[in-house]
Every structure is written in structure tokens, then in C-alpha cells.
Amino acid sequence: MVSSANTHKIVKKRTKTFKRFQSDQFKRLSTKWRKPKGIDSRVRRKFKGNRIMPKIGYGSNKATRDMIPSGFLKFRVTGAADIEMLLMHNRKYAAELASNLSARKRREIIERADQLNVKVINRNARLTTEESE
């Protein structure tokens, strides 16, 4: 199988999402981050023991930002023609089969990916149960 061309060490500084202040106390507040604006807000004033706010320092390295642990970038494949785009980029991108593909289309795409030497991330999805019958 093809290996990744990535030479950088992948460091994810923070993978947890930043949750909105008091979103656990009120149902009307979604957990999606919003900056606290209140004059007495403990979070905005950065008191010890309170939630942390997003800062630029939590960002990941630009070269490895969207990489999966194997060193590839994901490329969503929704049809047989999409796998042809990865012909020259098979060391940078790995194919990820879309969830709405049928088992027959998946089989065709995986065969073509093997010919082009393209890594498929979820190659066993929807295929293992049918082969056992």
C-alpha cells in the first residue's frame, strides 16, 4: 500500500471543543462557543478554575492541520469519477467513501483505487457482511 509523503510530526495542541460558558446550566444556550461579553464575567476575566477561552496559541501547525494519524488528508469520494482525481496525489490524499454509496459502487471504487494505488480509509464498510453470505 502507498505511504504518506508527510515528513512533519503531527501535533494536535487541543482536540477538545471549547464549550460556551453556562451552556450546561441552561437548555436555551447551545454548547457552541460564544465569547462572554459581561462586565463581571469570570470566564472573560480569566479567573482561575473557570473555562478557558479560545486563543491563537491553540491552533495546530498549518502543514498538519487536517491530517489523519497516518499522515494523509481526507478526500470524500461520492462516485467512481472522483477516485480518478487522486491519480497524481495518492501520497497526499486518502479516499474516504461517502456514507450514501451502495455496496456495488463501493466495490467498483475500491477496485479502481487498488489499480491507482490510492489508500481508502473506510474500505471495509458495508462489504464484510455481504461476503460472508
Side-chain angles (χ1 to χ4, degrees):
M1 188 55 33
V2 67
S3 63
S4 169
N6 176 35
T7 56
H8 300 285
K9 185 177 185 337
I10 300 173
V11 177
K12 304 287 183 199
K13 291 185 189 170
R14 182 179 168 94
T15 54
K16 280 171 59 176
T17 56
F18 292 96
K19 291 203 170 127
R20 185 177 182 173
F21 179 50
Q22 291 183 327
S23 64
D24 54 338
Q25 295 175 0
F26 301 105
K27 225 176 189 180
R28 64 181 177 263
L29 296 180
S30 67
T31 56
K32 195 166 57 170
W33 174 253
R34 289 287 184 266
K35 186 174 170 62
K37 304 262 175 47
I39 55 170
D40 295 327
S41 175
R42 299 173 307 179
V43 175
R44 184 190 59 80
R45 292 160 68 188
K46 300 181 183 135
F47 283 8
K48 196 189 300 183
N50 286 292
R51 295 214 167 143
I52 53 173
M53 294 201 293
K55 289 184 271 198
I56 197 70
Y58 289 114
S60 297
N61 183 354
K62 195 174 182 183
T64 62
R65 186 163 297 156
D66 298 313
M67 280 188 183
I68 58 176
S70 59
F72 288 97
L73 295 170
K74 283 185 184 181
F75 180 80
R76 172 86 33 88
V77 175
T78 57
D82 290 349
I83 202 79
E84 304 294 332
M85 290 186 230
L86 298 179
L87 175 63
M88 301 297 292
H89 307 285
N90 62 351
R91 297 199 59 213
K92 184 172 184 178
Y93 293 96
E96 179 187 40
L97 301 179
S99 63
N100 59 352
L101 286 172
S102 66
R104 185 173 60 91
K105 284 284 185 191
R106 284 172 189 268
R107 211 172 292 116
E108 292 172 13
I109 291 170
I110 289 171
E111 285 174 19
R112 185 63 183 145
D114 290 339
Q115 292 170 1
L116 298 176
N117 203 17
V118 173
K119 181 182 175 74
V120 180
I121 298 169
N122 53 348
R123 69 182 303 127
N124 294 328
R126 279 203 207 169
L127 296 179
T128 52
T129 55
E130 293 178 10
E131 290 173 2
S132 63
E133 293 179 328

